[in-house]
Structures are given as C-alpha cells and as structure tokens.
Amino acid sequence: MAEVPRSEGAPLLAVEELVVAYGPVRALHGVSLEVFPGEIVAVLGPNGAGKSTLLKAIAGAVAPAEGRILHAGRRIDGLPPEEVVRRGVALVPEGRMVFPRLTVRENLEVGAISRRDAGIGEDLERVLSMFPVLRERAGQLAGTLSGGEQQMLAIGRALMARPSLVLLDEPSLGLAPIVVHRVFELIARMRQDGVTVLLVEQNVHRALEVADRASVLAVGRVVLSGSGEELRRAEGRLERAYLGIGGRA
C-alpha cells in the first residue's frame, strides 16, 4: 500500500512498540502508531484485538510492560490517569460511564475537575451549545438519559477538560442508527474545533468515512494501515486483516 499522507510536523501522539500484558497474557504486542494534530485516526479490528487496551494504556488506566507513549513530545506512559488528563488527553470510555446519580450539569463539571483556569464556565456554555439536548436536561439525573444522550454527555464531559486529544472507545455501541449518525457528525465537528481524535470503533464503514487514517489490530498487532479512503477501497484486505491473516501493510 502506498505511503499514507501525514500532517507536517511532529505527531501529537506517538505510541512506540507498546506491549501490555494482563498477567501472563499479552494483549498488545509491540503496537506503534502516530496521530498528528487535527487528525481523526481510527483503530479497527475484531473483538479481543486489543483496541480498548490501547486506549486504556494511553489514558493511564493500564501500565505498559514495554514501549513508550508520547503526547506533544513528552512521555505519558506510567502516569496516573488524572495527570494524563492534565496533559491534555481525555478518554470517552466504552459504555459511556456517566455518573448516574449526578445531574447532567454536574457530570459536565466533573470533566473539568483537573482544571484551575477561569474558562470553565465559558467551556460549559460551549458544550451545552454543541449538545442542545444536554442543555434541556441540565438538571436531570444522568442515569435517566437515553443511551444516545448519555453518549453525548460522555463526549461533552471529556471536552470539558479542554483536551488536545480525545480518545473515543466504541462511541456508536448500542445506539440507534439515527443517533450513530449524530455521534459521527459530532466527531467531525470536534476536528473542526481543533480537537484531535483517536477513535476505536466497530462500525467500520462510519469510522472510515470520518477518519484521515486508520490501523487494523488483530490479536494485539497492527496488521494493516492506510488512509480512510484507501481502506474503504480495499475491502478484501480489510476482511483478511480482521481475520488476522492480512499481513503487515
């Protein structure tokens, strides 16, 4: 496959030969990838490929056994999650993980808990403008929201940290098609607003529509990489990569 065009300058995120193990079982085997400022990069692959583990390692939720993770040129591997957030990396976890007994507004305010600047109120207003349904339900308990509304809340909560990089773990999981469409519109808007996105997603078609570049993981290894357009055209190679027989691109 031809070399994938990349943004000029240094990557915002660089994952270098990352190994993550759960006891004796390795979930990631020397994974490397880069995300440049302003990009949406998708990580695809079958269940159990290590996609969520990759995001958790970047976010500080699991410690790598080997390798390095750099954000804006500074190592973040081994840092606690709260420090990773302070450095500008926010995770939207699989399953939304909102605080059900807090209101929508309180959930959003939790997203800014690591900040000490004076712009929190301004950012809260901006997020509520992005998600009108959250403004309507600002005083409602998060646990009473629909799945799609909770997903929007989880994304809005991450944006309240004012991150330079957002990690999205399966944002369309379990949502109705019309809500999935809205979620991917929001992902595209995040890039327009200057937020870089690393997206883990099972909906391959929608992910490749918005992604500048993508990598496929299989059994903890990168087996295929390319631009979103290239992978859309290479359906056969993509299918083989999902089966773990595609070979390294």
Side-chain angles (χ1 to χ4, degrees), residues 54-102:
L54 173 62
L55 294 194
K56 290 176 182 177
I58 296 168
V62 298
E66 299 175 23
R68 303 196 309 167
I69 304 170
L70 295 93
H71 172 256
R74 301 169 64 192
R75 289 190 68 169
I76 60 172
D77 51 284
L79 296 178
E82 60 271 19
E83 181 60 27
V84 175
V85 173
R86 291 191 190 98
R87 299 283 184 95
V89 180
L91 171 66
V92 180
E94 180 181 351
R96 278 79 79 175
M97 303 293 287
V98 300
F99 299 101
R101 296 186 180 181
L102 297 182

Side-chain angles (χ1 to χ4, degrees), residues 17-230:
E17 296 296 329
L18 193 68
V19 174
V20 176
Y22 298 107
V25 179
R26 285 196 172 191
L28 296 178
H29 302 262
V31 168
S32 296
L33 61 81
E34 294 177 327
V35 183
F36 288 80
E39 284 190 315
I40 297 174
V41 174
V43 178
L44 311 173
N47 289 333
K51 306 184 301 298
S52 292
T53 294
L54 173 62
L55 294 194
K56 290 176 182 177
I58 296 168
V62 298
E66 299 175 23
R68 303 196 309 167
I69 304 170
L70 295 93
H71 172 256
R74 301 169 64 192
R75 289 190 68 169
I76 60 172
D77 51 284
L79 296 178
E82 60 271 19
E83 181 60 27
V84 175
V85 173
R86 291 191 190 98
R87 299 283 184 95
V89 180
L91 171 66
V92 180
E94 180 181 351
R96 278 79 79 175
M97 303 293 287
V98 300
F99 299 101
R101 296 186 180 181
L102 297 182
T103 67
V104 167
R105 181 180 295 273
E106 288 168 340
N107 268 269
L108 293 174
E109 290 170 344
V110 167
I113 197 168
S114 65
R115 293 174 54 183
R116 298 294 182 266
D117 60 276
I120 294 174
E122 179 182 338
D123 285 346
L124 178 61
E125 179 60 30
R126 180 174 61 88
V127 168
L128 291 175
S129 295
M130 286 181 65
F131 303 92
V133 68
L134 299 184
R135 185 186 298 280
E136 295 172 7
R137 291 160 171 64
Q140 188 171 323
L141 295 182
T144 66
L145 300 179
S146 69
E149 291 165 348
Q150 289 189 13
Q151 185 62 70
M152 293 177 191
L153 178 57
I155 294 173
R157 182 180 60 191
L159 293 176
M160 284 297 297
R162 196 178 280 183
S164 58
L165 173 67
V166 171
L167 313 173
L168 291 173
D169 194 356
E170 303 285 6
S172 75
L173 187 66
L175 301 182
I178 191 170
V179 182
V180 171
H181 179 74
R182 174 62 175 147
V183 166
F184 277 92
E185 283 184 335
L186 289 168
I187 294 170
R189 178 176 173 180
M190 287 163 61
R191 173 171 54 187
Q192 293 171 0
D193 290 343
V195 179
T196 303
V197 177
L198 181 60
L199 167 67
V200 160
E201 180 55 58
Q202 285 284 351
N203 191 326
V204 175
H205 175 71
R206 295 309 301 263
L208 292 179
E209 282 184 341
V210 300
D212 299 291
R213 296 185 293 113
S215 293
V216 180
L217 288 186
V219 201
R221 294 180 172 86
V222 176
V223 295
L224 185 65
S225 295
S227 70
E229 178 61 28
E230 285 174 325

